[in-house]
Amino acid sequence: MEFRKFDSDKDVTEFVLHNTELFEPDTQLTVSEIGDGNINFIYRVGQPGGDSVIVKQALPYVRIIGEGWPLSQDRVRIEAETLQYEGSHCPDLVPTVYHFDADLCAIVMEDIGQHENLRHALIARRRLPNLASDLGRFLADTLYHSSDLHLDSHAKKELVKSYINPDLCKITEELFFWDPYCDHERNSINPHLRPYAEQLWADDALKLEVYKLKRQFLCDAEALLHGDLHAGSVFASGSGTKVIDPEFAYVGPIGFDIGSILGNFLLNYAGQANLPGDLAERRDYQAWLLDSVETLWNTFAERFYIHMREKTQDPSFNNEIYRTWYLDKLFADTLGYAGTEMIRRTIGLAHVADIESIEDPQSRANSEKLALRIGCELIMARDQIIDVEALAQRIRRIS
Amino acid sequence: MEFRKFDSDKDVTEFVLHNTELFEPDTQLTVSEIGDGNINFIYRVGQPGGDSVIVKQALPYVRIIGEGWPLSQDRVRIEAETLQYEGSHCPDLVPTVYHFDADLCAIVMEDIGQHENLRHALIARRRLPNLASDLGRFLADTLYHSSDLHLDSHAKKELVKSYINPDLCKITEELFFWDPYCDHERNSINPHLRPYAEQLWADDALKLEVYKLKRQFLCDAEALLHGDLHAGSVFASGSGTKVIDPEFAYVGPIGFDIGSILGNFLLNYAGQANLPGDLAERRDYQAWLLDSVETLWNTFAERFYIHMREKTQDPSFNNEIYRTWYLDKLFADTLGYAGTEMIRRTIGLAHVADIESIEDPQSRANSEKLALRIGCELIMARDQIIDVEALAQRIRRIS
């Protein structure tokens, strides 16, 4: 079957009914388009008031731009296979994939509609009790089991080959590691922040550290990353967490995934300094965010350490001195990539609502300055910050 | 056509005559088997007293072991394509590939018979005037043009995929980074050296550095390496140099290739301390070897720097601070991998004739101790040795 965009609700419901056994064959299903839909088409398909599933179809180009910006449809295979891989280790933390069709570039997956987008939850200052430990577990389990610590050499190299994802990696390469470090036309900069952006563009020592992180992003095939783990890729409820949208997955440096999500907690931290609402409440929430950062890292590090000790077959990597060194290295990488996430979300193309929703441009610039200061400090001091408590102290001192 | 081992001289000559236009169709050719042939079959095919070519055929297993040790025949595609890639940048430094047959797993290539194996030349204390600069140029040109400094992201990722080489990488992984650091049954240890090997096995600080280098060997996809650049893979004459046998090629850390060959110069240096012959002559040759190490690195670094400055499109990587940092990093990696080559050639499975040909076991152990001391020092001090002059001084101080 050749690629053909779903043209009607009937196409979508037939795709679901034909390829899954989730509904009786003659069930009447309704289809509604959801999601921001900048790149893909996403549909909710279900019985009114009853069960529903999500259908995602990838076009061979960026939807809102058109055929002038082609994008490999292999990304949907990568997304489906990554969800299946992640689901094999953390079934409760990702939507179940019911069907993937390579020709139609479409996935049928579990509807996680009862969960709230993490970015909205953070802006609303919700305290999600399991969030940080769920994310720490997700990171430890998915990253460990796809690394050379767990896989034999042949399996690891097959994994690298299977997840070569150049179109999507190129987007990250430019938006994270290039645009924000020069006066790029794609950047979006609050006029009140411009002097600080210009100062950053002149900071050669900072830029060298970013170039090193970029080199590592391009070359260091450590483990299968989610690749786009910002707050918008996480959905949470009072009791559970779901990580979605791994279409940027590739085999890269472990610290990139951990740093991306930690950076998002800290972007919200910077936003809380000037978001509307009671000051004491916002300060309390900032403290909760720093606690969450600590819990996330500690959960990750403890589980990753135990996996290394209990499962790693290669004795070069299963010994106390290597485990200790390696976790320290991953922490430094994490801080570096968290810093790049904070900077690119402040002066790059794609901002975050945690800060963007501060209406007054001067107040917004104050949160943006804080995000830049924390981001730069994480990058520059990533080898000196000895643990996650020292990290929290340092952030409190900056703000 | 399915794989079929050449069974007769006629098979081999027909393969040459049918697939190349090097000889008239009815030329009478003679075939002689050459090479050590542990793994592959290698034939010289030519007119008596006239032109000749080399035919190399890879079996699906290790020849001297048999079918019990299977080895992917994809290695011969990798060898042919690497020779072609290297030839596109340094045509004078590799044999020309005339034909590659994927089904028969066989290559027809230029005969470089007038050149001498570099290991034999070093043991005979020959001074090869162009050797070090040829090797520096080979390394700079092949490594630069296959790195992210030169290739766009898509081409680089295709390169990684195309050179996934798990069987051969696994051999290196074990022989370089595991066996020599434990009392492994594959090791071969001079009884006089055993106490020093035991001391090394107890050196946790050294082993941690080796594990870091192993991690980098497994993960760091920097550039297309030759992958097995020891003195036996280099042939030299008074006027020219040829690098052969890149069947271990894969996309890995640049320092691994440079370190492997520098380690071989330094293994000969250690051998010269106890090889037969006039002491003054041997000391002079050691000085020549250190000069060669300096020339090799300096040629590499100067050319690589100029390539970066003149050809690198990505401004993150084409700027003075990155170039300086990157060459320093490559130097440290180089020293580390040179150290692992020296250690594995002294207490691992495969020794080098530069030392092995010292007949008296006690004298041989003295050279072996020197090789171990230099190897350990290069690994441990790789971030402190600031340049290649400091390296030469340090080696003179050790010996």
Side-chain angles (χ1 to χ4, degrees):
Chain A
M1 199 194 296
E2 288 213 350
F3 176 73
R4 143 184 89 73
K5 187 181 128 8
F6 295 135
D7 270 335
S8 64
D9 289 0
K10 189 158 164 289
D11 282 357
V12 181
T13 55
E14 278 181 3
F15 180 66
V16 171
L17 291 173
H18 186 75
N19 292 297
T20 71
E21 297 179 349
L22 300 164
F23 303 98
E24 295 297 317
D26 52 359
T27 313
Q28 288 298 310
L29 298 175
T30 58
V31 176
S32 54
E33 219 192 304
I34 58 167
D36 58 5
N38 285 344
I39 297 182
N40 305 303
F41 285 91
I42 301 168
Y43 308 94
R44 173 169 287 135
V45 181
Q47 294 170 288
D51 290 342
S52 59
V53 295
I54 299 296
V55 172
K56 182 168 185 175
Q57 187 176 41
L59 301 187
Y61 48 83
V62 175
R63 178 181 172 187
I64 54 165
I65 308 277
E67 299 187 16
W69 188 344
L71 203 59
S72 162
Q73 285 174 307
D74 193 38
R75 70 187 189 276
V76 72
R77 172 192 67 81
I78 285 176
E79 173 164 350
E81 291 181 1
T82 307
L83 285 171
Q84 286 163 335
Y85 166 75
E86 293 166 346
S88 73
H89 293 289
C90 313
D92 59 321
L93 298 180
V94 291
T96 305
V97 173
Y98 299 123
H99 180 69
F100 163 58
D101 187 308
D103 295 314
L104 292 174
C105 303
I107 307 176
V108 184
M109 68 180 109
E110 184 185 351
D111 185 0
I112 55 158
Q114 71 283 17
H115 291 71
E116 182 184 19
N117 184 294
L118 176 58
R119 193 170 307 289
H120 302 152
L122 295 177
I123 293 170
R125 293 192 278 278
R126 262 189 261 296
R127 287 157 200 253
L128 300 151
N130 303 320
L131 175 70
S133 60
D134 280 350
L135 289 172
R137 172 163 62 90
F138 173 81
L139 291 161
D141 291 2
T142 59
L143 296 169
Y144 171 80
H145 292 100
S146 59
S147 75
D148 284 289
L149 299 169
H150 186 66
L151 298 176
D152 75 42
S153 299
H154 284 72
K156 168 74 185 321
K157 285 165 176 67
E158 277 308 312
L159 188 82
V160 170
K161 193 194 258 186
S162 171
Y163 286 91
I164 296 276
N165 193 0
D167 279 7
L168 287 287
C169 284
K170 183 74 184 169
I171 294 173
T172 305
E173 184 187 332
E174 296 189 346
L175 296 187
F176 263 75
F177 300 109
W178 176 241
D179 295 6
Y181 302 94
C182 65
D183 192 6
H184 200 286
E185 58 182 12
R186 276 189 298 245
N187 288 337
S188 161
I189 301 172
N190 180 344
H192 294 277
L193 192 73
R194 196 167 171 94
Y196 298 88
E198 286 172 357
Q199 213 173 313
L200 187 146
W201 299 333
D203 185 344
D204 282 342
L206 174 75
K207 289 197 289 184
L208 175 60
E209 297 309 312
V210 172
Y211 303 154
K212 294 181 194 175
L213 290 162
K214 174 173 175 173
R215 192 205 77 82
Q216 196 184 349
F217 175 82
L218 294 174
C219 295
D220 196 13
E222 248 181 346
L224 179 60
L225 307 188
H226 177 283
D228 191 27
L229 198 54
H230 61 87
S233 296
V234 178
F235 281 71
S237 68
S239 59
T241 307
K242 298 280 180 188
V243 179
I244 65 164
D245 279 354
E247 66 190 338
F248 284 74
Y250 83 111
V251 181
I254 286 176
F256 184 76
D257 260 8
I258 316 175
S260 293
I261 190 65
L262 285 193
N264 276 263
F265 279 93
L266 297 177
L267 283 160
N268 187 268
Y269 179 100
Q272 295 298 345
N274 296 283
L275 277 168
D278 178 69
L279 179 62
E281 192 192 312
R282 289 184 283 132
R283 289 213 171 131
D284 275 3
Y285 197 70
Q286 286 182 318
W288 180 83
L289 289 166
L290 291 189
D291 285 349
S292 297
V293 166
E294 288 193 45
T295 302
L296 192 160
W297 173 263
N298 286 334
T299 305
F300 165 78
E302 280 160 28
R303 282 185 79 88
F304 200 90
Y305 180 92
I306 292 169
H307 287 323
M308 288 175 83
R309 198 184 58 201
E310 295 184 355
K311 298 185 182 177
T312 295
Q313 299 298 312
D314 184 336
S316 308
F317 299 141
N318 189 349
N319 61 76
E320 187 56 25
I321 47 166
Y322 188 79
R323 284 193 292 269
T324 305
W325 170 78
Y326 194 52
L327 280 172
D328 285 348
K329 174 199 135 50
L330 293 183
F331 188 60
D333 292 349
T334 293
L335 299 184
Y337 288 115
T340 60
E341 169 71 353
M342 296 186 76
I343 291 170
R344 73 116 177 172
R345 294 294 194 174
T346 306
I347 55 180
L349 172 68
H351 289 216
V352 291
D354 315 60
I355 293 177
E356 210 61 15
S357 63
I358 300 166
E359 282 186 20
D360 173 53
Q362 185 59 61
S363 298
R364 189 163 70 248
N366 288 338
S367 277
E368 289 171 331
K369 274 183 261 177
L370 178 55
L372 285 188
R373 284 180 62 200
I374 296 173
C376 292
E377 178 113 352
L378 295 188
I379 292 170
M380 295 307 291
R382 66 190 190 283
D383 287 319
Q384 283 89 57
I385 300 174
I386 58 161
D387 60 24
V388 72
E389 279 181 40
L391 170 68
Q393 273 171 23
R394 201 177 268 248
I395 290 168
R396 278 191 289 268
R397 214 162 45 227
I398 295 173
S399 49
Chain B
M1 198 193 296
E2 289 213 351
F3 177 71
R4 139 184 92 71
K5 188 178 125 15
F6 295 135
D7 271 336
S8 64
D9 289 0
K10 189 159 165 285
D11 282 357
V12 180
T13 55
E14 277 182 4
F15 179 66
V16 172
L17 292 173
H18 185 75
N19 291 296
T20 70
E21 296 179 350
L22 300 163
F23 303 97
E24 294 297 316
D26 52 358
T27 313
Q28 288 297 312
L29 298 175
T30 58
V31 177
S32 55
E33 219 193 307
I34 58 167
D36 56 5
N38 286 344
I39 296 183
N40 305 302
F41 284 91
I42 301 167
Y43 308 95
R44 173 170 286 134
V45 182
Q47 295 170 286
D51 292 342
S52 58
V53 295
I54 298 296
V55 173
K56 182 168 185 173
Q57 187 177 40
L59 301 187
Y61 48 83
V62 176
R63 178 181 172 186
I64 54 164
I65 309 277
E67 299 187 16
W69 188 343
L71 203 60
S72 161
Q73 285 174 308
D74 192 40
R75 70 188 189 275
V76 72
R77 172 193 65 82
I78 285 176
E79 173 163 352
E81 291 181 2
T82 305
L83 284 171
Q84 286 164 334
Y85 165 74
E86 294 166 346
S88 73
H89 293 290
C90 313
D92 60 319
L93 298 180
V94 291
T96 305
V97 172
Y98 299 124
H99 180 68
F100 163 59
D101 187 310
D103 296 312
L104 293 173
C105 303
I107 307 175
V108 184
M109 67 180 108
E110 184 184 350
D111 186 0
I112 54 156
Q114 71 283 16
H115 291 72
E116 181 184 19
N117 184 295
L118 176 58
R119 193 169 310 286
H120 303 153
L122 295 177
I123 293 169
R125 293 192 277 279
R126 261 189 262 297
R127 288 157 200 255
L128 300 151
N130 303 320
L131 174 70
S133 61
D134 281 349
L135 289 172
R137 172 163 61 91
F138 173 82
L139 290 162
D141 291 2
T142 59
L143 296 169
Y144 171 81
H145 292 99
S146 59
S147 75
D148 284 289
L149 299 169
H150 187 66
L151 297 176
D152 75 44
S153 300
H154 284 71
K156 169 74 186 320
K157 285 166 176 67
E158 277 307 312
L159 188 83
V160 170
K161 192 193 258 185
S162 172
Y163 287 90
I164 297 275
N165 194 359
D167 280 6
L168 287 286
C169 283
K170 183 75 185 169
I171 294 173
T172 306
E173 184 187 331
E174 295 189 348
L175 296 186
F176 264 75
F177 300 109
W178 176 242
D179 295 5
Y181 301 95
C182 65
D183 192 5
H184 200 285
E185 59 182 10
R186 276 190 298 246
N187 286 338
S188 161
I189 302 171
N190 181 343
H192 295 277
L193 192 72
R194 196 167 171 94
Y196 298 89
E198 286 171 356
Q199 212 173 312
L200 188 147
W201 298 333
D203 186 344
D204 282 342
L206 174 76
K207 289 197 288 184
L208 174 60
E209 297 309 312
V210 172
Y211 302 154
K212 293 182 195 175
L213 290 162
K214 175 173 175 173
R215 191 204 78 82
Q216 195 184 350
F217 175 83
L218 293 174
C219 295
D220 196 14
E222 249 182 344
L224 180 60
L225 308 187
H226 177 282
D228 191 28
L229 198 54
H230 61 87
S233 296
V234 177
F235 281 71
S237 69
S239 58
T241 306
K242 298 280 181 188
V243 179
I244 65 164
D245 279 354
E247 65 190 339
F248 284 74
Y250 82 110
V251 180
I254 286 175
F256 184 76
D257 260 8
I258 315 175
S260 293
I261 189 66
L262 284 193
N264 276 262
F265 280 92
L266 297 176
L267 283 160
N268 187 269
Y269 179 99
Q272 294 298 346
N274 295 283
L275 278 167
D278 178 67
L279 178 63
E281 194 193 309
R282 289 184 282 130
R283 290 215 170 131
D284 275 1
Y285 196 69
Q286 286 182 318
W288 180 83
L289 288 166
L290 290 188
D291 285 348
S292 296
V293 166
E294 288 193 44
T295 302
L296 192 160
W297 172 263
N298 286 333
T299 306
F300 165 79
E302 279 160 28
R303 281 185 81 87
F304 200 90
Y305 180 92
I306 291 169
H307 287 324
M308 287 174 85
R309 199 183 57 200
E310 295 183 354
K311 296 184 181 177
T312 295
Q313 299 298 311
D314 183 336
S316 307
F317 300 140
N318 189 349
N319 61 75
E320 188 56 26
I321 47 167
Y322 187 79
R323 284 193 292 269
T324 305
W325 170 78
Y326 194 51
L327 281 172
D328 285 347
K329 173 198 137 50
L330 293 183
F331 188 61
D333 292 349
T334 293
L335 299 185
Y337 289 115
T340 60
E341 168 72 353
M342 296 186 75
I343 292 171
R344 74 114 177 174
R345 294 294 195 174
T346 305
I347 55 179
L349 171 69
H351 289 215
V352 291
D354 314 61
I355 293 177
E356 210 59 15
S357 63
I358 300 166
E359 284 186 18
D360 174 53
Q362 185 58 63
S363 299
R364 189 164 69 247
N366 289 336
S367 277
E368 290 171 330
K369 274 183 262 176
L370 179 55
L372 284 187
R373 284 181 61 198
I374 296 173
C376 292
E377 176 112 354
L378 295 188
I379 292 169
M380 295 308 291
R382 67 192 189 281
D383 288 319
Q384 281 90 56
I385 300 174
I386 58 161
D387 60 22
V388 72
E389 279 181 41
L391 169 68
Q393 273 171 24
R394 201 176 268 248
I395 290 167
R396 278 189 291 267
R397 212 161 47 227
I398 295 172
S399 48

